[in-house]
Amino acid sequence: GENVEQHPSTLSVQEGDSAVIKCTYSDSASNYFPWYKQELGKRPQLIIDIRSNVGEKKDQRIAVTLNKTAKHFSLHITETQPEDSAVYFCAASMESGGYQKVTFGTGTKLQVIP
Amino acid sequence: DADVTQTPRNRITKTGKRIMLECSQTKGHDRMYWYRQDPGLGLRLIYYSFDVKDINKGEISDGYSVSRQAQAKFSLSLESAIPNQTALYFCATSGQGSRNEQFFGPGTRLTVL
């Protein structure tokens, strides 16, 4: 089955600096890569996603890049703010038996220091 | 607003007890999921269901069972709870189509003593 590795597990940055979270996946059949943000005590929520036919996608201060050949994708947050502090999960998704199977990474706890 | 809800939000129980966690959704989605979240292990899939007649095991289904009572309701049961089932449990839903964005409930924190 699919295996998603996520690094680092914790990340501390100064407010205003950039943060990068990296994920790798194992199955080349994965074709959809969402990122979820989970604030303390809250539920995970989708913040950005990318399909395998696109190399990069940007939404204001967040961007995701995908390298299909190397099977890795990354989340980039620029000009970090304290409200960016949360746990971020990457995921890889593929069609399997009529079901879009999603495998999550283990999460990165981002702390933005004011 | 259409939403995913879970009951109870917190539960403390003892080893050997039967526990049921309930999930309801008003999003009109066909697909429902149960995940378990443990520190450092991310979100792991327990069971998923495409519709009321379809139930599938996820990667960690041992010790758990589910029931899809209706399109909007999906329950998770621990027949005989054990301490290593102490975790945060999330229900999620998704609609049809290739995007498969998952909408999570607020979570149930379960402690097994």
Side-chain angles (χ1 to χ4, degrees):
Chain A
E2 175 65 279
N3 181 50
V4 178
E5 294 190 356
Q6 182 172 349
H7 299 282
S9 57
T10 60
L11 178 61
S12 291
V13 300
Q14 292 292 135
E15 182 177 357
D17 288 349
S18 295
V20 180
I21 302 170
K22 298 181 178 182
C23 291
T24 61
Y25 62 100
S26 60
D27 196 324
S28 57
S30 289
N31 58 6
Y32 171 63
F33 305 91
W35 287 85
Y36 288 81
K37 175 183 180 182
Q38 184 181 26
E39 296 178 356
L40 187 62
K42 301 288 182 63
R43 68 189 80 184
Q45 291 188 299
L46 181 75
I47 55 170
I48 195 168
D49 55 14
I50 190 168
R51 297 201 166 282
S52 59
N53 59 349
V54 176
E56 184 174 359
K57 184 177 180 180
K58 189 174 182 180
D59 183 3
Q60 298 183 338
R61 294 186 298 107
I62 60 173
V64 58
T65 59
L66 171 65
N67 183 326
K68 286 174 55 180
T69 303
K71 297 195 188 70
H72 65 71
F73 56 112
S74 301
L75 178 72
H76 305 253
I77 306 174
T78 58
E79 301 172 16
T80 53
Q81 301 169 2
E83 53 264 38
D84 294 329
S85 295
V87 177
Y88 292 81
F89 292 98
C90 65
S93 180
M94 71 174 81
E95 180 74 22
S96 176
Y99 158 65
Q100 196 74 8
K101 184 177 180 181
V102 181
T103 303
F104 286 89
T106 51
T108 296
K109 184 176 182 180
L110 173 64
Q111 181 184 19
V112 179
I113 303 167
Chain B
D1 286 342
D3 200 5
V4 183
T5 57
Q6 292 182 233
T7 56
R9 295 294 311 280
N10 289 282
R11 181 71 183 271
I12 299 173
T13 190
K14 295 182 178 180
T15 296
K17 294 292 187 180
R18 184 179 188 274
I19 297 297
M20 179 179 284
L21 309 183
E22 298 186 343
C23 176
S24 295
Q25 53 111 349
T26 57
K27 300 186 91 57
H29 288 163
D30 291 330
R31 301 173 184 193
M32 299 187 73
Y33 314 81
W34 275 104
Y35 290 93
R36 168 178 173 159
Q37 184 177 24
D38 298 276
L41 295 177
L43 292 156
R44 292 183 293 167
L45 183 64
I46 306 172
Y47 271 96
Y48 61 99
S49 170
F50 287 169
D51 61 39
V52 294
K53 298 178 183 178
D54 177 81
I55 302 289
N56 303 279
K57 292 183 177 180
E59 60 182 297
I60 54 163
S61 59
D62 288 349
Y64 302 94
S65 63
V66 292
S67 174
R68 185 81 183 266
Q69 301 95 324
Q71 186 201 33
K73 296 183 181 297
F74 193 34
S75 300
L76 176 71
S77 294
L78 287 69
E79 296 302 325
S80 179
I82 57 177
N84 76 1
Q85 291 178 312
T86 293
L88 183 58
Y89 290 85
F90 284 102
C91 173
T93 73
S94 68
Q96 294 187 14
S98 58
R99 188 183 189 196
N100 200 42
E101 177 180 355
Q102 308 230 336
F103 295 87
F104 287 85
T108 295
R109 186 165 295 281
L110 177 66
T111 302
V112 183
L113 302 177

